[in-house]
Amino acid sequence: QYDFLLYGLSKKKRFAPWMKAKKIKNIDIVKEYFGYSNEKAKVALEILSENQLNDIKITLSKVGKK
Protein backbone atom coordinates (compact mmCIF):
# COMPACT_ATOMS: atom_id res chain seq x y z
CA GLN A 1 0.00 0.00 0.00
CA TYR A 2 2.91 2.34 0.61
CA ASP A 3 4.41 1.57 -2.77
CA PHE A 4 1.32 3.07 -4.39
CA LEU A 5 1.76 6.30 -2.46
CA LEU A 6 5.47 6.39 -3.15
CA TYR A 7 5.41 5.53 -6.84
CA GLY A 8 1.83 6.20 -7.88
CA LEU A 9 1.72 9.90 -7.10
CA SER A 10 4.05 12.41 -8.67
CA LYS A 11 6.20 14.50 -6.37
CA LYS A 12 4.32 17.66 -7.23
CA LYS A 13 0.96 16.34 -6.05
CA ARG A 14 1.99 14.87 -2.70
CA PHE A 15 1.56 18.03 -0.66
CA ALA A 16 -1.39 20.36 -0.46
CA PRO A 17 -1.05 24.11 0.14
CA TRP A 18 -1.63 25.43 3.65
CA MET A 19 -5.14 26.40 4.63
CA LYS A 20 -5.40 30.09 5.44
CA ALA A 21 -7.49 31.37 8.31
CA LYS A 22 -10.58 33.30 7.29
CA LYS A 23 -10.63 36.97 8.11
CA ILE A 24 -13.54 37.78 10.43
CA LYS A 25 -15.10 41.18 9.93
CA ASN A 26 -15.13 43.56 12.95
CA ILE A 27 -13.01 41.28 15.16
CA ASP A 28 -10.27 43.91 15.49
CA ILE A 29 -12.79 46.46 16.72
CA VAL A 30 -14.11 44.14 19.43
CA LYS A 31 -10.59 43.13 20.49
CA GLU A 32 -9.50 46.75 20.86
CA TYR A 33 -12.67 47.94 22.62
CA PHE A 34 -12.95 45.13 25.17
CA GLY A 35 -9.33 43.96 25.28
CA TYR A 36 -10.33 40.41 24.38
CA SER A 37 -8.33 37.59 22.81
CA ASN A 38 -9.30 36.10 19.44
CA GLU A 39 -11.53 33.37 20.92
CA LYS A 40 -13.39 35.72 23.26
CA ALA A 41 -13.84 38.28 20.48
CA LYS A 42 -15.41 35.60 18.22
CA VAL A 43 -17.93 34.74 20.95
CA ALA A 44 -18.64 38.43 21.56
CA LEU A 45 -19.29 39.00 17.85
CA GLU A 46 -22.00 36.35 17.92
CA ILE A 47 -23.73 38.17 20.78
CA LEU A 48 -23.38 41.79 19.65
CA SER A 49 -25.92 43.33 17.28
CA GLU A 50 -25.14 45.59 14.33
CA ASN A 51 -26.28 48.68 16.28
CA GLN A 52 -23.91 47.85 19.13
CA LEU A 53 -21.03 47.34 16.69
CA ASN A 54 -21.76 50.72 15.11
CA ASP A 55 -21.75 52.35 18.57
CA ILE A 56 -18.38 50.73 19.32
CA LYS A 57 -16.98 52.00 16.01
CA ILE A 58 -18.16 55.54 16.80
CA THR A 59 -16.69 55.39 20.29
CA LEU A 60 -13.32 54.16 19.04
CA SER A 61 -13.20 56.84 16.35
CA LYS A 62 -13.88 59.56 18.97
CA VAL A 63 -11.24 58.19 21.33
CA GLY A 64 -8.65 58.05 18.58
CA LYS A 65 -9.04 61.77 17.73
CA LYS A 66 -8.05 63.05 21.18
Side-chain angles (χ1 to χ4, degrees):
Q1 72 191 29
Y2 296 111
D3 289 337
F4 169 74
L5 293 176
L6 186 61
Y7 299 114
L9 299 175
S10 65
K11 289 185 179 183
K12 294 180 183 177
K13 295 186 180 182
R14 288 185 188 173
F15 302 103
W18 286 97
M19 297 282 296
K20 293 185 179 182
K22 294 181 182 178
K23 181 78 172 169
I24 299 174
K25 189 177 179 181
N26 297 326
I27 196 166
D28 294 329
I29 296 166
V30 173
K31 284 172 56 175
E32 182 179 350
Y33 187 76
F34 293 109
Y36 284 166
S37 64
N38 284 335
E39 291 117 22
K40 287 185 180 181
K42 287 177 188 177
V43 173
L45 277 174
E46 294 173 3
I47 298 170
L48 294 172
S49 67
E50 290 295 323
N51 292 333
Q52 292 170 331
L53 287 173
N54 289 333
D55 292 341
I56 291 171
K57 288 178 188 178
I58 292 169
T59 304
L60 288 177
S61 67
K62 289 180 183 178
V63 171
K65 290 183 181 179
K66 289 183 179 181

